[in-house]
Amino acid sequence: MTDSAGPDETRRLIEELRERRLTVAVAESLTGGLLVAELIRIPGASHVVRGGVVAYATDLKSTLLGVDARLLATRGPVDPDVAVQMASGARNRLGREQPADWGLSTTGVAGPGAQDGHEAGTVFIGLASDGAESSHRLQLYGDRDAVRQQTVAAAIRILLDAVLATPSGEA
């Protein structure tokens, strides 16, 4: 994972979160647990990673993460708003007395074929914090494993950029 995420951006992310005393909670679909596995690869991750939910089936995005069932019914799981709601759901449901500082999510089509009118490699990464929510659309190429690995690397990079852009002590 370290090659595709740059010169170990995962380690840098975990260090930044630890330094700032921030936490992250993850919701995964197409990555199926790879993102949390990458985060906890780093020693000390237990101080900042609250956990993760693999909501691979569409209905679990609603029941476990609180994604609006009507949104899922009308747009399907490969959608920017679904990604944001997944990130927000993870943040809120995996916090302690309060939400995790950051929620991070992955949803999309790993392939090999299209799904619900979206071509393979269409991915949305959701990000949620107390101050903002956003989604990031990616169009990735390669086989199923490559798309999943690239998604994890992109999610790490997106969260690292967001943490670095936030003044210390805020999320």
Side-chain angles (χ1 to χ4, degrees):
M1 211 34 248
T2 58
D3 291 339
S4 59
D8 211 341
E9 289 179 321
T10 305
R11 183 172 306 282
R12 181 149 184 236
L13 172 62
I14 296 300
E15 289 170 358
E16 284 293 330
L17 290 170
R18 279 193 74 179
E19 233 174 71
R20 296 166 185 246
R21 299 176 191 250
L22 299 173
T23 58
V24 61
V26 178
E28 299 183 67
S29 186
L30 85 149
T31 50
L34 288 176
L35 180 52
V36 168
E38 173 61 12
L39 290 171
I40 65 170
R41 175 181 65 80
I42 306 301
S46 62
H47 296 283
V48 299
V49 177
R50 292 289 304 148
V53 173
V54 176
Y56 199 66
T58 300
D59 63 305
L60 294 179
K61 291 169 181 61
S62 178
T63 58
L64 294 178
L65 296 168
V67 175
D68 185 321
R70 289 171 299 195
L71 174 64
L72 288 165
T74 57
R75 295 195 208 160
V78 183
D79 180 83
D81 293 329
V82 169
V84 167
Q85 287 187 20
M86 287 175 65
S88 181
R91 179 177 176 264
N92 287 304
R93 294 184 179 201
L94 296 177
R96 288 183 208 168
E97 298 85 36
Q98 63 183 27
D101 296 299
W102 291 97
L104 183 63
S105 71
T106 63
T107 188
V109 184
Q115 176 188 331
D116 298 330
H118 298 281
E119 65 181 278
T122 303
V123 173
F124 292 96
I125 295 173
L127 192 59
S129 69
D130 194 34
E133 296 178 337
S134 62
S135 68
H136 305 263
R137 184 185 194 284
L138 308 173
Q139 188 59 56
L140 304 172
Y141 300 95
D143 66 12
R144 182 175 178 78
D145 288 337
V147 168
R148 294 173 71 223
Q149 292 294 331
Q150 290 172 66
T151 300
V152 169
I156 298 290
R157 195 170 303 115
I158 286 166
L159 180 55
L160 178 58
D161 288 347
V163 169
L164 292 174
T166 305
S168 289
E170 295 181 23

